[in-house]
Amino acid sequence: MQMADARAVRPVMLAVGGDSGSGKTTLTRGVVDALGPDLCVSVCLDDYHRFDRASRARLGFTVSHPDCNYLDIAEQHLQMLATGQPVLKPVYDHRTGTFGGMEYLQPRPFVIVEGLFPLFSPLSRACFDIKVMLDPPEELRRAWKIARDTTERGYTVEQVLDDLAAREADSAEFIRPQRRHADIVVRVTQDAGQDDQLSAEVLLRGTVPHPPLANILVDDPHSAMPLTIIRDSDGTPVDCLQVRGDAEPADIERVKQAIWDNIDRPQPLPISLGELRSGRRSETLAITQLLLLYHLLPKVDPS
Amino acid sequence: MQMADARAVRPVMLAVGGDSGSGKTTLTRGVVDALGPDLCVSVCLDDYHRFDRASRARLGFTVSHPDCNYLDIAEQHLQMLATGQPVLKPVYDHRTGTFGGMEYLQPRPFVIVEGLFPLFSPLSRACFDIKVMLDPPEELRRAWKIARDTTERGYTVEQVLDDLAAREADSAEFIRPQRRHADIVVRVTQDAGQDDQLSAEVLLRGTVPHPPLANILVDDPHSAMPLTIIRDSDGTPVDCLQVRGDAEPADIERVKQAIWDNIDRPQPLPISLGELRSGRRSETLAITQLLLLYHLLPKVDPS
């Protein structure tokens, strides 16, 4: 029995994991824009929820529990897409909390997958070329989630708070631990008193080769953008890039250009990087997006 | 990347192909009943229609055209089931002509697949242990289809006739030619003036080993149930079992028992075999169903 079509082209697969409201969509939007929307196909794993909102309420299940999702089917579909095959997938409507019609999805050169569980199982993880986890402090994630769910998903503030409380145990047990399987862990923080001014700690694990930044950034915690070697939770040395929201524009540009120079692209640096939901920009977000683009696009031959 | 779960058990897969109204559901109902409904999972490939009824009318498409179906997805799902994996499949509602929610289907020991296109592609055919095609004379199929569609699917006689006319070209080009890929081709005919008294010609191709009937049936066209060697369309010798609707009950029982004796089952011959939609029985249908059961169940060791 033949599973893969010999003519099928393997796409580049990006996983963006993170809890509800952690900024997955904001991060991937700029990435898709820079890659070219025509070359990308986006998959939100929320479409693989097993129950609609009403059934979940009745069953006392939260979507943050693996059993509340068809993770086996999501795995299948990720494998299909990774080997260049189309899938017929369900569609979950966040506004109504119900399932709509199905969607026939053919892979394109870039497949961007976001959701609560992309790094949960070995079979799912094996589908990705690059795995990212968003890990903002809980207070920030809660604020982001409240802002989104009350404006775009028809919830009241109270309902979102209830939802957060109901999901906390599952988040702690199933969502947050996926952090250890990511090649890149992004911890965005909000600068005190500065709306939309974001800083970030970006953990760059040795599971994939990252852009060579050590020659332009110094391992000095007092510098504007320190690149520090720290020990990962298992003791392995990893790079930690700190991007400060108040960094000098010139420093920011230097780092962005340094990453972009390693990517084999004729175009100048995409201007869509760094766009926030609010319409404003964050250079911290732009740098994070560039670090992902480095893994998705062909690299400059170092020789 | 690992596609199949090593623990997954491969089910036995039966394909029943045939045009709309050819008797697929009637044939498989008795087979499922004899196998034990708890051990069977049924898949109707109509669920993989690409468009709902309204869209088909607008587009001028008939479901008998391959492009009006997600055959690539059906192939995927058949492969998944054949290797013991679950699928999340669409559901088409024949009464309303629209799609309902998705269905999560886990394979069971027997997977019974019926539809217009089970034998259409090599990849689909490769999934099956035994492939059957129903090929009644067109007049009989039309009568059966009118009877069903006007009672169970909310059509008027005129609408069914229009549908038959619209589909004829596609039936001739895409559906009927699948006949040559079947291990067993069943041509049921209605005995003149006898409602529900059916005869059948059952072509038994050498692509699979059939029950040894040559020792109990004679190659004499004047006998009640002749087993004749004929030449297939490509010149290959094949067995053709003729079951006459007016055959003696004792002869029928002898053939049924002869087939059943080759099956390694402690139970007596299942009584549900041969039940028609009308509630009446057809021994011709029962014999056809037994020939399928022979391929689905463990055989008696011939030594």
Side-chain angles (χ1 to χ4, degrees):
Chain A
M1 206 164 15
Q2 178 195 345
M3 287 308 296
D5 184 337
R7 294 162 306 178
V9 175
R10 268 194 63 115
V12 178
M13 305 270 294
L14 164 68
V16 178
D19 210 343
S20 178
S22 61
K24 302 185 288 290
T25 307
T26 301
L27 178 68
T28 56
R29 197 186 295 119
V31 171
V32 165
D33 221 68
L35 292 170
D38 291 351
L39 299 179
C40 297
V41 71
S42 292
V43 176
C44 177
L45 295 181
D46 293 351
D47 289 330
Y48 295 85
H49 288 340
R50 190 182 291 259
F51 308 109
D52 61 14
R53 198 183 289 166
S55 304
R56 294 198 302 268
R58 206 177 55 243
L59 297 166
F61 242 135
T62 92
V63 294
S64 301
H65 195 289
D67 293 349
C68 197
N69 297 272
Y70 288 122
L71 293 188
D72 53 352
I73 303 294
E75 272 176 6
Q76 270 181 12
H77 286 193
L78 291 175
Q79 290 174 76
M80 286 292 167
L81 293 170
T83 53
Q85 317 293 312
V87 298
L88 190 65
K89 63 179 276 302
V91 177
Y92 179 77
D93 184 342
H94 272 290
R95 283 165 311 155
T96 61
T98 61
F99 295 96
M102 290 161 316
E103 183 184 12
Y104 179 83
L105 213 67
Q106 243 165 336
R108 294 182 182 170
F110 303 101
V111 176
I112 318 290
V113 177
E114 55 173 279
L116 302 175
F117 293 104
L119 311 186
F120 190 71
S121 76
L123 223 50
S124 174
R125 295 195 292 272
C127 295
F128 294 105
D129 297 280
I130 181 81
K131 302 185 285 292
V132 180
M133 184 82 180
L134 298 186
D135 183 35
E138 277 295 282
E139 322 83 75
L140 183 56
R141 177 178 80 85
R142 294 164 79 95
W144 282 347
K145 182 171 164 65
I146 291 168
R148 181 198 59 191
D149 287 0
T150 55
T151 54
E152 296 174 22
R153 300 191 177 174
Y155 287 89
T156 64
V157 173
E158 195 147 65
Q159 283 172 325
V160 184
L161 290 173
D162 284 352
D163 185 45
L164 279 162
R167 289 163 73 159
E168 171 51 27
D170 289 339
S171 285
E173 185 171 357
F174 304 113
I175 311 285
R176 297 202 285 267
Q178 292 175 66
R179 186 183 184 284
R180 77 189 134 110
H181 298 295
D183 304 306
I184 299 178
V185 180
V186 182
R187 189 173 187 83
V188 171
T189 51
Q190 193 152 29
D191 294 1
Q194 304 282 338
D195 252 15
D196 284 349
Q197 185 174 306
L198 305 172
S199 294
E201 263 184 29
V202 185
L203 203 68
L204 302 165
R205 290 213 173 96
T207 45
V208 293
H210 297 285
L213 295 172
N215 48 347
I216 63 153
L217 295 173
V218 285
D219 186 354
D220 170 3
H222 302 292
S223 83
M225 213 176 307
L227 180 71
T228 321
I229 295 175
I230 62 169
R231 285 200 185 278
D232 206 348
S233 47
D234 67 353
T236 315
V238 289
D239 264 323
C240 180
L241 173 66
Q242 283 180 51
V243 190
R244 294 202 175 145
D246 61 359
E248 290 296 322
D251 287 334
I252 292 278
E253 281 312 308
R254 198 165 51 96
V255 174
K256 282 165 68 177
Q257 200 58 53
I259 302 172
W260 192 244
D261 285 346
N262 284 284
I263 300 175
D264 189 14
R265 284 246 137 164
Q267 301 96 316
L269 218 147
I271 55 161
S272 58
L273 299 178
E275 274 173 17
L276 292 174
R277 246 187 170 77
S278 60
R280 281 188 276 186
R281 296 182 46 78
S282 160
E283 293 306 327
T284 301
L285 176 62
I287 287 182
T288 308
Q289 287 167 328
L290 272 169
L291 286 169
L292 303 196
L293 284 174
Y294 171 81
H295 291 284
L296 298 172
L297 291 169
K299 282 138 208 70
V300 170
D301 187 346
S303 65
Chain B
M1 209 163 13
Q2 179 193 343
M3 286 305 297
D5 185 337
R7 294 160 305 176
V9 175
R10 268 195 62 112
V12 179
M13 304 270 293
L14 164 67
V16 178
D19 209 343
S20 177
S22 60
K24 303 184 288 290
T25 308
T26 301
L27 178 68
T28 55
R29 197 187 294 118
V31 171
V32 166
D33 221 67
L35 292 170
D38 291 351
L39 299 179
C40 297
V41 72
S42 293
V43 177
C44 178
L45 295 181
D46 293 351
D47 289 330
Y48 294 86
H49 287 341
R50 190 182 291 261
F51 308 109
D52 61 14
R53 198 183 289 167
S55 304
R56 294 198 301 269
R58 205 176 56 243
L59 297 166
F61 242 135
T62 92
V63 293
S64 301
H65 195 289
D67 293 350
C68 196
N69 297 272
Y70 289 120
L71 293 187
D72 53 350
I73 303 296
E75 271 176 6
Q76 268 181 14
H77 287 192
L78 291 175
Q79 290 174 77
M80 286 291 167
L81 293 170
T83 53
Q85 316 294 311
V87 298
L88 190 64
K89 63 179 278 300
V91 177
Y92 179 76
D93 184 342
H94 273 288
R95 285 166 311 155
T96 60
T98 60
F99 296 96
M102 316 265 304
E103 184 185 13
Y104 179 84
L105 213 65
Q106 242 164 338
R108 293 182 183 169
F110 303 102
V111 176
I112 319 290
V113 178
E114 55 173 279
L116 302 175
F117 293 104
L119 311 185
F120 190 72
S121 76
L123 222 52
S124 174
R125 294 195 291 273
C127 294
F128 295 105
D129 296 279
I130 181 79
K131 301 184 285 291
V132 180
M133 183 83 181
L134 297 186
D135 184 35
E138 277 294 282
E139 321 82 76
L140 184 56
R141 175 177 81 84
R142 293 162 80 93
W144 282 347
K145 181 171 165 65
I146 291 167
R148 181 198 58 193
D149 287 359
T150 56
T151 55
E152 296 175 21
R153 298 188 180 176
Y155 288 89
T156 65
V157 173
E158 196 146 63
Q159 283 173 324
V160 184
L161 291 173
D162 285 351
D163 185 45
L164 280 162
R167 288 163 72 159
E168 171 51 27
D170 289 339
S171 285
E173 184 171 357
F174 304 114
I175 311 286
R176 296 203 284 268
Q178 292 174 65
R179 188 183 181 284
R180 77 188 135 107
H181 299 296
D183 304 306
I184 299 177
V185 180
V186 182
R187 187 173 188 83
V188 171
T189 52
Q190 193 151 27
D191 295 0
Q194 303 283 338
D195 253 18
D196 283 351
Q197 187 175 305
L198 304 171
S199 294
E201 265 183 29
V202 185
L203 203 70
L204 303 164
R205 292 214 172 95
T207 44
V208 294
H210 298 284
L213 295 174
N215 48 345
I216 62 153
L217 294 173
V218 286
D219 186 354
D220 170 3
H222 302 293
S223 83
M225 214 177 306
L227 181 71
T228 319
I229 296 175
I230 62 169
R231 286 202 183 277
D232 206 348
S233 47
D234 68 352
T236 315
V238 291
D239 265 322
C240 179
L241 174 65
Q242 284 180 48
V243 190
R244 294 202 174 143
D246 61 358
E248 290 295 324
D251 287 335
I252 292 278
E253 281 312 308
R254 198 164 50 96
V255 174
K256 284 166 65 177
Q257 200 58 53
I259 302 171
W260 192 245
D261 285 348
N262 284 285
I263 299 174
D264 189 16
R265 284 246 136 163
Q267 302 96 316
L269 218 145
I271 54 160
S272 58
L273 299 178
E275 274 173 17
L276 292 173
R277 245 190 170 74
S278 62
R280 280 187 277 185
R281 297 182 44 80
S282 160
E283 293 307 327
T284 302
L285 176 62
I287 288 182
T288 307
Q289 288 167 328
L290 272 169
L291 286 169
L292 302 196
L293 284 174
Y294 172 82
H295 292 285
L296 299 172
L297 291 169
K299 282 139 208 68
V300 169
D301 189 344
S303 66

